[in-house]
Amino acid sequence: MNVSTLYGASKRVGKALTFGILVVPVTARSALAEPAVIAALGDSLTHGYGVPQGEGFVPQLEGWLRAQGLDVIVQNSGVSGDTTQGGLSRVGWTLGPEVDAMIVTLGGNDALRGIDPAVSKANLAGIVEAGQVADVDVLLIGVEAPMNFGADYKQAFDGMYGELAAQYDVALAPDFFEAIRDLPADELRALMQADGIHPNVQGVARIVPVLGPFVQSLVERAVEE
């Protein structure tokens, strides 16, 4: 719930707002008429690398959620080139008092650099823990490692998202690229930028409706709590 613009003395305590001695529970959201705020913590996939402003993952996702009837703002906390370590270093200021839930799409740059999956997993665990300390619902969005560093590396890396989701009891969308990963090569190329790593506008448009329901469930759960 966004409380930053509601009276200077107000603050968020768990899932309630305090105004002096008056406690207003989160169920008063409708009375306050404030949208749910979702922080999207990630790298270039989140940031919208290579696509026109307003047509990247975050704005397309927000548009999709609004089309489902949800009053929501998705904050773009993606930084191109970021690793899980970078995400961990900035999760604190990402989780502002107005944030109700957080989606995390990190790890792709770790895999491209061959960072030990145990290190990446520990960083993601720290991000999830920060969300839980802030009483914010979390959705992990997995990415798959290429075969550059061998099958054992890929297995450890790809598996860490499910392991973390089970360990911390948070929601999981197993694969950011699920919507397009298994397409024929020619069709896939038409949905990707020239680097073969980032989706173009049309690719994002294919990805969002598949990931959208996971985020929709996250938002609905956050609003109900």
Side-chain angles (χ1 to χ4, degrees), residues 125-212:
I127 292 170
V128 172
E129 289 169 3
Q132 294 184 331
V133 168
D135 198 22
V136 165
D137 290 299
V138 176
L139 169 67
L140 276 176
I141 301 180
V143 293
E144 292 191 4
M147 286 295 293
N148 301 35
F149 301 99
D152 290 343
Y153 180 95
K154 179 174 173 58
Q155 181 178 11
F157 184 92
D158 294 355
M160 68 181 175
Y161 297 96
E163 292 165 3
L164 287 167
Q167 178 181 348
Y168 289 97
D169 192 26
V170 297
L172 172 69
D175 183 9
F176 182 88
F177 287 103
E178 179 183 355
I180 63 175
R181 185 175 297 282
D182 296 327
L183 293 176
D186 289 346
E187 189 175 351
L188 178 60
R189 278 195 296 271
L191 298 174
M192 299 296 289
Q193 297 180 41
D195 61 12
I197 296 174
H198 300 92
N200 57 26
V201 172
Q202 293 75 27
V204 174
R206 293 281 289 272
I207 289 168
V208 164
V210 174
L211 290 181

Side-chain angles (χ1 to χ4, degrees), residues 70-90:
L70 297 176
D71 187 13
V72 62
I73 294 173
V74 184
Q75 295 180 341
N76 194 334
S77 296
V79 174
S80 292
D82 216 0
T83 61
T84 56
Q85 182 178 7
L88 178 60
S89 71
R90 58 192 178 85

